Amino acid sequence: SMQRSARWPGGASRSDNPTTSALPPRTEKMDVNQDWPSVYPVAAPFKPSAVPLPIRMGYPVKKGVPMGKEGNLELVKIPNFLHLTPVAIKRHCEALKDFCTEWPAALDTDEKCEKHFPVEVDTSDYVSSGPSNRNPKARVVTLRVKLSSLNLDDHAKKKLIKLVGERYCKATDVLTIKTDRCPLKRQNYDYAMYLLTVLYHESWKTEEWEKNKTDADMDEYVWENSTSQRNAVQTLLRMQAAGQGQGERGSAEELLRTREVEGYQACVVRLKNEGENEVSLSQYKESVKRLLHLT
Amino acid sequence: LDPGCSFHVSSQASQKNQVPVEHPRAISRTSESDPAKHGEQHEGQHYSIPLQDLKMVFPHGLPPRFVMQVKTFGEACLMIRKPALELLHYLKNTNFAHPAVRYLLYGEKGTGKTLTLCHAIHFCAKHDWMILHIPDAHLWVKNCQELLPSTYNKQRFDQPLEASTWLKNFRTTNERFLSKIKVQEKYVWNKRESTEKGSPLGEVIEQGITRVRNATDAVGIVLKELKRQSSMGMFHLLVAVDGVNALWGRTTLKREDKSLIAPEELALVHNLRKMVKNDWHGGAVVLTLSQTGSLFKPRTAYLPHELLGKEGFDDLDPFLPILISNYNPKEFESSFQYYLENSWLQHEKAPTEEGKKELLFLSNSNPGQLERLCACL
């Protein structure tokens, strides 16, 4: 059958003639300082003849090396980012600058940004060529706020953390609310703001049943009104009763304010909150020795 | 001897008053047999307890492996170690007018807590203190054959067998005090028998031993009377409990309807908990934690909070924790020499330097582990 080239009538191209040999690959003609974004301007599959890197990929046979790039299906299967080199991205940013407004000059540090704009909202838009421009992933809204920028007292902060549970990160003090239950992005944004408002107001309220909080619910050990305090005070009172007539007789409150008791209190709190280890146990031992006046 | 389990930590005492200049002897033994005179210069050395004393002071307190070792070697030797010296120092300087101070010995498995306790008990016995020694509190919360509802309080349970065994051993240790201490209340056992006010404590104990049903109540009475009278200054009381974490743990005992019993429902445990509180004076309380024999606790647990739990820690607070650790090089050397002298190590490579290094590495200076290893050599 006649193979006519599509480019001009009557003409023939190199590929029509079966006897022509293969041209050398394009990589041989590439200069080191060439413009790479023009080789890969868009996302394209891996072309071994256009990428001048001696890459090997694949599981080697015994006493062999991984397969080279020529005819390597593994390199074609994986996604590549050859179209997104730093140079290419710089050009994209330059092109996008025309569509952006200027960053406010007053907000030059992170602290200032946090102070004036404590709530950060993350949304994502998706563009693709297809029959419709809707994308269900675009409705997700993430709201991040630092609890230190909210006006919360001790009880309110603990209640808020208990209410949100997993959404609070203790290390960075950031509360993250991610909403996607509504179909539209603006609805999800409104819902996230509503959640934040409700959490704030609820955590300031104190319910009736919160008075029934037991020791087991406490987040950290509180020494006042604990068994440890009672034991220590009782022991000291008994010791005082034993040494009658010597020194002043102090009441329970005065005993609590002595240096030994305060040191003991600090050690017990540290032991219970931080857990036990050699250091905290030896400090506890020293404080008990001082408390009980042992040599 | 078969390689049984012995707690190695125990003592090595050499009471030979022969040539103290011999080098191995000088490292590992001392002839000072009165614990009151033990000081830092004796650290690492072994002192021996005369066997008659042993029978009287420790009818039930020594670890089983150590008892076997005593039988083999014909002598009971305890090593003098730093935590024991520290504890003895506190005991010597006890202020008997102040509430009883609680000392808690804790440490990893096999480091010598029980034998340090025995060292302290020997000291107190030699100084005429009254010894209230519970050898292993774990025995009271598991494997009980007979469990009766208590005659004194319907909600609690009695353990006649354990109570009567303990009373017998208590009588052996404190024979000389029993006629001197008088009970201060009348106790009615049943319609026909009662103990009058003013009769010696020995009668209560006899009643408990002969009438096994009342043994638990007898134990309760003994504890109450001792606590009251020690506060009056008639004698010094040492309360020594091994495995005190059993008092606040779980039990494996069940009622007839197969529901679990909590420790406070056992009368023995209830009374013992009252005993280790510091609302009395005139003595001291020395306790050890023990994971061996404890129920539902992992093998690696040894810290006070882990073994006692929150309730136990709060009950014992404030107490003085004393850490007992593995052997330091001097103690290891001493222990090794002791075994060599008693011809316990029969392997030909054992006395060499390499053999010693190998034992050091294999046992990681852990006294219990070292003892088990040497038993096989």
Side-chain angles (χ1 to χ4, degrees), chain A residues 18-254:
Chain A
T19 54
T20 49
S21 55
L23 284 175
R26 188 175 154 190
T27 51
E28 314 244 324
K29 283 189 252 162
M30 279 182 177
D31 181 35
V32 178
N33 296 324
Q34 69 170 333
D35 181 38
W36 180 257
S38 52
V39 179
Y40 265 85
V42 289
F46 181 85
K47 294 178 205 107
S49 57
V51 177
L53 303 168
I55 315 177
R56 291 188 172 273
M57 175 130 166
Y59 191 82
V61 292
K62 269 201 247 233
K63 296 189 191 179
V65 291
M67 212 177 114
K69 66 175 177 178
E70 291 288 336
N72 195 335
L73 190 58
E74 303 293 327
L75 283 167
V76 176
K77 284 196 287 192
I78 55 170
N80 68 65
F81 292 93
L82 294 162
H83 57 294
L84 290 177
T85 48
V87 183
I89 294 183
K90 236 190 185 103
R91 286 194 203 161
H92 295 167
C93 291
E94 289 299 326
L96 285 172
K97 269 201 168 82
D98 294 337
F99 301 100
C100 300
T101 54
E102 258 195 48
W103 185 259
L107 292 175
D108 40 6
T109 58
D110 273 339
E111 286 81 22
K112 282 194 200 163
C113 292
E114 255 180 53
K115 184 170 146 222
H116 296 285
F117 298 97
V119 178
E120 295 178 26
V121 177
D122 295 331
T123 49
S124 212
D125 291 300
Y126 297 83
V127 174
S128 62
S129 60
S132 110
N133 62 353
R134 311 271 183 230
N135 192 322
K137 291 197 275 193
R139 72 180 196 276
V140 172
V141 170
T142 309
L143 188 139
R144 273 176 296 126
V145 67
K146 276 208 173 169
L147 287 192
S148 45
S149 48
L150 294 174
N151 176 23
L152 295 167
D153 72 353
D154 193 44
H155 159 263
K157 185 165 179 192
K158 289 207 174 113
K159 186 166 175 181
L160 186 84
I161 293 176
K162 270 206 161 87
L163 281 172
V164 298
E166 287 261 320
R167 298 173 187 82
Y168 174 70
C169 169
K170 201 158 168 196
T172 54
D173 191 35
V174 165
L175 166 65
T176 312
I177 299 178
K178 192 166 172 184
T179 39
D180 68 344
R181 58 169 65 182
C182 306
L184 292 183
K185 187 192 301 189
R186 85 172 92 100
Q187 291 170 343
N188 278 317
Y189 171 76
D190 289 339
Y191 180 57
M193 293 308 279
Y194 160 75
L195 278 181
L196 185 63
T197 322
V198 152
L199 280 169
Y200 178 77
H201 288 296
E202 281 298 313
S203 62
W204 269 101
K205 290 190 215 160
T206 311
E207 301 279 341
E208 275 295 314
W209 42 262
E210 280 187 43
K211 291 194 200 82
N212 302 342
K213 191 174 179 187
T214 58
D215 273 335
D217 298 322
M218 297 280 188
D219 301 317
E220 47 179 32
Y221 184 73
V222 164
W223 198 66
E224 286 78 34
N225 293 337
S226 70
T227 29
S228 176
Q229 185 191 33
R230 269 178 276 140
N231 285 350
V233 169
Q234 269 172 6
T235 316
L236 284 175
L237 282 173
R238 278 185 217 129
M239 277 165 68
Q240 220 177 42
Q244 278 158 2
Q246 298 160 9
E248 332 78 65
R249 310 198 62 170
S251 64
E253 288 83 20
E254 282 170 39

Side-chain angles (χ1 to χ4, degrees), chain B residues 231-248:
Chain B
S231 298
M232 291 193 286
M234 300 176 50
F235 49 82
H236 303 317
L237 178 64
L238 175 76
V239 178
V241 184
D242 201 343
V244 72
N245 44 318
L247 300 181
W248 288 280

Side-chain angles (χ1 to χ4, degrees), chain B residues 107-141:
Chain B
E108 291 191 1
K109 198 169 147 106
T111 42
K113 306 179 281 287
T114 310
L115 282 169
T116 311
L117 186 70
C118 293
H119 193 172
I121 293 177
H122 185 224
F123 163 78
C124 293
K126 268 225 134 80
H127 286 251
D128 257 0
W129 288 39
M130 182 110 184
I131 312 275
L132 195 80
H133 182 41
I134 286 100
D136 193 355
H138 292 298
L139 295 172
W140 289 359
V141 296

Side-chain angles (χ1 to χ4, degrees), chain B residues 141 246-251 261-267 269-270 273:
Chain B
V141 296
L247 300 181
W248 288 280
R250 288 160 62 180
T251 67
I261 302 182
E264 22 315 324
E265 293 179 19
L266 294 169
V269 172
H270 178 86
R273 276 197 201 179

